[in-house]
Amino acid sequence: MIKDSEINSYNIADFFLTKSELTPKKVQKLVYYAYSWFIAINNQSANQIENILFDEIPEAWIHGPVFPSLYLRFKSFNWNEIPRNKENIK
């Protein structure tokens, strides 16, 4: 199984936030795209998913997929943009 225990939804969100200020909704969608593309590229069949980027599973909410931990982390921003993170991420 391809999976790094160091990678989680926070790491992926932090990476995108080094590029630009983003609303919480945009962060959710970008993390979901990274998660989905990883599954699509690294598995042979949709019926037998063996390789995942990280363990958290997105939930289907009315405005799109949501990772609950990211929602809790960024919910204080409401519809406002989260400031760009200027630190380098390894």
Side-chain angles (χ1 to χ4, degrees):
M1 174 188 262
I2 298 174
K3 186 175 65 168
D4 186 339
S5 62
E6 302 274 326
I7 296 176
N8 58 40
S9 60
Y10 282 24
N11 302 129
I12 306 299
D14 289 342
F15 169 77
F16 287 120
L17 286 167
T18 63
K19 306 300 178 193
S20 178
E21 293 181 347
L22 300 166
T23 63
K25 186 175 174 182
K26 287 180 185 177
V27 171
Q28 288 284 355
K29 292 194 184 280
L30 288 169
V31 172
Y32 177 74
Y33 291 144
Y35 180 86
S36 305
W37 274 100
F38 186 91
I39 289 173
I41 292 169
N42 291 294
N43 289 282
Q44 296 294 323
S45 165
N47 298 325
Q48 190 174 5
I49 296 174
E50 297 175 355
N51 302 307
I52 57 173
L53 186 57
F54 52 85
D55 283 329
E56 188 174 6
I57 297 173
E59 296 178 359
W61 288 18
I62 195 159
H63 293 289
V66 171
F67 291 95
S69 67
L70 281 183
Y71 173 78
L72 293 174
R73 180 180 178 194
F74 295 126
K75 78 178 191 174
S76 64
F77 288 94
N78 297 315
W79 295 98
N80 301 311
E81 291 190 333
I82 303 162
R84 183 174 174 239
N85 181 0
K86 297 184 181 182
E87 295 179 26
N88 288 333
I89 294 183
K90 297 179 182 185

